[in-house]
Structure formats: C-alpha cells, structure tokens
C-alpha cells in the first residue's frame, strides 16, 4: 500500500517521478531511511481514524514511538467504538457488497431508486475473479507496485527497516481486515436468512 501511494502521487501530482523501477526503489529506500533515522513511523492512517480532539491532544511521550503506539491504540478503539464499517481495496467486491447490505435496507421508500442503486452496486461488486470488474490501468509504464516491490525485496537490510517503518500501520490494517471479514460474514449470513422462505 505504501509503494502504491508513492506511485499514485507521482502519477497524479508529478511528485518525485522517476524514470525506472530502480530509481523509484532508490527514492523509496532513501525516504524510509531518512524517516527511520529520525525514529519516525508511517502514521498517515491516523488522519482518517483519530477524531479531531485525539489528533490535537497534547501528549507527554518521551519518544516518537510511544506516541505512535498510543495513536495506534486509539485508532483501533475508534474502529470499535464508532461501529465503523470497514472496507479495503484488497477486498473491494466484498467491501461493496457489505456497503450495499448496510445502505440498501429492505424498506427503501422508492422501488425505482432501489433498483437504480442495486444496479450501481452490481456494477462494482462483480466477482474479482471474472472479467466484469474493470481495473485501473497503470499509467506508469513498466513501473508498477509489484515491480518496485520486487526491486525493494532484493535488499534484506532495507526490508527490515521498511517493515519497522510500517509496523504500526500494519497493526491497524491487520485488525481492520479481521473486522472487515467478520462484518462481511455477518452481512452475508443476514442476506442468506432474508432470502430463505
């Protein structure tokens, strides 16, 4: 996800565009190395998962890692406390099906509107394994997330540093993914019960 984000920003905003996979990997390595030198961790997810008071709260942590650990706990608590519906791009079809279940209850005021909404969801909830789901093509030529990751994985020392940099965001993602699977399973069970005579 981190590498995808770097490539997306390069494409969208002409930010740090590199000509080759190797140059892109070198740029990412330097960026991560500089961040870890300052004891920084990836924390961009907090802008989505902390409420304004939590994000602005004064803290008295002696080092940056303690702050990120604290924010990680708050983010996970918020997912539970605010009864968040979790969806991921990695499970896009499931995420859309779950949103459809939540947003289109049995009692929908206007049949025509319900039909149009169902059509819209059907367009985006096609099974990922068939050809009906359209994927965005890469506009970066041969520089894809998988090619950059393959280049980064050649450097075992860097990968340890990379995993350290991502570790708290990974904790949140892993928790949210488990939450997503539980929510999806419950939603599909409810749909199955609804369909029974």
């Amino acid at each position: 996800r981190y590498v995808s984000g770097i490539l997306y920003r390069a494409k969208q905003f002409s930010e740090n565009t590199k000509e080759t996979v190797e140059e892109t990997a070198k740029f990412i390595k330097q960026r991560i190395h500089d961040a870890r030198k300052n004891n920084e961790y990836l924390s961009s997810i907090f802008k989505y998962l902390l409420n304004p008071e939590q994000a602005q709260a004064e803290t008295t942590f002696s080092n940056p890692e303690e702050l990120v650990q604290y924010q990680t706990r708050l983010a996970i608590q918020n997912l539970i406390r605010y009864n968040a519906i979790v969806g991921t791009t990695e499970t896009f079809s499931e995420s859309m099906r779950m949103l459809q279940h939540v947003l289109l209850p049995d009692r929908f005021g206007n049949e025509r509107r319900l039909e149009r909404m169902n059509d819209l969801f059907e367009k985006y909830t096609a099974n990922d394994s068939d050809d009906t789901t359209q994927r965005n093509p890469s506009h970066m030529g041969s520089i894809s997330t998988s090619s950059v990751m393959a280049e980064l994985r050649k450097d075992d020392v860097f990968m340890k540093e990379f995993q350290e940099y991502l570790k708290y965001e990974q904790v949140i993602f892993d928790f949210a993914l488990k939450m997503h699977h539980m929510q999806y399973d419950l939603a599909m069970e409810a749909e199955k019960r609804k369909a029974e005579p």
Side-chain angles (χ1 to χ4, degrees):
R1 289 178 309 277
Y2 178 82
V3 172
S4 293
I6 295 286
L7 295 178
Y8 174 78
R9 282 188 297 282
K11 179 180 72 174
Q12 290 295 112
F13 309 111
S14 299
E15 185 179 293
N16 302 308
T17 54
K18 303 298 175 198
E19 297 290 323
T20 67
V21 168
E22 293 78 13
E23 287 176 344
T24 304
K26 184 178 177 184
F27 167 75
I28 291 171
K29 285 180 180 184
Q30 188 60 54
R31 190 170 169 159
I32 300 301
H33 182 69
D34 291 345
R36 289 305 305 137
K37 215 170 17 175
N38 294 320
N39 200 24
E40 293 174 5
Y41 290 87
L42 183 61
S43 59
S44 55
I45 199 167
F46 297 133
K47 65 185 164 195
Y48 305 106
L49 298 178
L50 299 181
N51 65 40
E53 294 81 25
Q54 291 169 333
Q56 300 300 320
E58 293 294 319
T59 57
T60 57
F61 296 105
S62 59
N63 72 51
E65 186 171 11
E66 289 177 352
L67 173 61
V68 176
Q69 289 171 340
Y70 172 72
Q71 290 173 320
T72 299
R73 286 191 299 275
L74 285 177
I76 289 172
Q77 288 171 359
N78 286 348
L79 286 171
I80 297 166
R81 179 181 300 130
Y82 297 115
N83 202 18
I85 297 171
V86 178
T88 68
T89 55
E90 290 83 353
T91 59
F92 188 75
S93 290
E94 285 183 6
S95 299
M96 292 300 289
R97 287 187 202 289
M98 192 166 47
L99 282 174
Q100 182 178 16
H101 172 78
V102 172
L103 297 175
L104 299 177
D106 289 338
R107 289 165 275 137
F108 201 88
N110 180 321
E111 275 302 310
R112 186 174 156 191
R113 188 178 303 154
L114 174 61
E115 188 177 304
R116 287 195 340 238
M117 291 297 291
N118 274 323
D119 289 346
L120 177 67
F121 274 103
E122 285 304 314
K123 179 179 177 181
Y124 292 103
T125 58
N127 185 336
D128 284 333
S129 64
D130 67 23
D131 291 332
T132 59
T133 302
Q134 180 179 347
R135 302 201 183 275
N136 291 332
S138 174
H139 298 292
M140 299 295 291
S142 64
I143 303 176
S144 66
T145 300
S146 57
S147 63
V148 173
M149 282 304 302
E151 183 66 24
L152 293 173
R153 284 188 184 106
K154 293 176 182 177
D155 184 340
D156 293 337
V157 173
F158 166 75
M159 286 306 292
K160 287 179 183 166
E161 187 174 46
F162 192 35
Q163 289 168 348
E164 180 67 16
Y165 178 67
L166 300 174
K167 79 176 180 182
Y168 292 107
E169 194 149 309
Q170 189 65 48
V171 166
I172 295 168
F173 178 80
D174 290 345
F175 179 85
L177 188 60
K178 285 178 187 172
M179 192 171 166
H180 163 76
H181 287 303
M182 290 171 57
Q183 290 173 338
Y184 178 76
D185 291 345
L186 288 170
M188 293 306 100
E189 282 178 32
E191 290 292 323
K192 192 185 295 183
R193 282 193 307 272
K194 246 187 344 187
E196 291 173 354

